[in-house]
Amino acid sequence: MKTTFGRRTRILAATTATAGLVLVAGCSSDDSGGSGTKTAAGGVEVVKAGQLTTCTHLPYPPFQSEIDGKVQGFDVALIDLVADDLGVKQTIVDQPFENFKTGGSLNAGSCDLAAAGMTITEERKKNVDFSDPYFEATQAVLVDKKSGISSFADLKGKKVGAQAQTTGEDYAKSKGLDPVSFESSDAVINGLRTGQVEAVVIDYPVVQGWLKDTANAAAFEVAEQINTGEQYGFTVKKGNTKLREAINKAIADAKADGTYKKLYEQWIGPYDESAATASPAA
C-alpha cells in the first residue's frame, strides 16, 4: 500500500451501500459526531453517530479509487457490508497511508477502521489490530513489452519503480534493488509509461486493474508474478474487539453466501478460490 505526505485530508460520505461514495467536503466540521448515539448495532462504538468512518488512501484500484466522482472498489464494497450489519452508513476519509499504518488516525479518533489494501505484517500488528485476512495478495513485475525483461532476476541493474511505504517496495529492497519511490499507484504506472523506470514491482491485483485498460495491455506485460505469502486485512484501534469481530463476521458471511465471489469478480477479475480460503488471523 501507499502514502502521500502533506496531502489534504478529504472526507467522503456514502451515498448507497454498494454504489460507492462521493466527495462532500475538504474537512469535517462536525467534530461532535452529530446527533444521536455513537453506539451502533451489537454495541460497537463509532467515532461519528450513524457512520462507520473508514480511513484509506486514494487511489488504489481495484480496492478503492474515485470512479465517476464516487469512491468505489473491492474494499469499499466489503466495508459497506459491515456498515449494513451495524445499521450505519460508511464514510471514507482520504489520508496519508502512514497515518493509519502506524495507528495514528485510529488512536486520534479520525476513523473507526482502515481499509486500504493493507498487508498484514508483524510490525504493523504492534500498532493496530487486524481483521481476519480477506484477500491473498502476490507481487508482480510489470514491464514494457519491448524491455526484454522476463523475470524479477532480470531487474538487477535496471531502474525499477515501486510505491512508497508498500510491501512491494520492501520486497524489492530486500532483494538488493534500490527502487524509485512513487507516492501513489497512479504515479507508478505513469513512471513506467513515461520511461522514468524500466519496470515496477507492485501488488498483482493493482496490475490486473491496469491491464483492463486496452492501451496499458497493448504496451505492458507481467514479467513475473511473485508469491510473497501476503494477506490483506482491515485494521482497527488496538483493543477494539467488537468492531474487529463485526468485520470478521461480515467477511465470513460474504464468503458463505456468495457475495464475496460476486464482488471479487466485479472488482478484481476471474475468481481465485484461494482468496476466499485465507486462514483467520492469529
Side-chain angles (χ1 to χ4, degrees), residues 19-42:
L21 303 103
V22 296
L23 181 66
V24 296
C27 58
S28 174
S29 60
D30 181 13
D31 294 328
S32 67
S35 60
T37 178
K38 290 186 179 180
T39 303

Side-chain angles (χ1 to χ4, degrees), residues 99-117:
N99 287 16
F100 44 90
K101 184 183 77 171
T102 60
S105 294
L106 296 168
N107 293 333
S110 299
C111 47
D112 298 298
L113 71 142

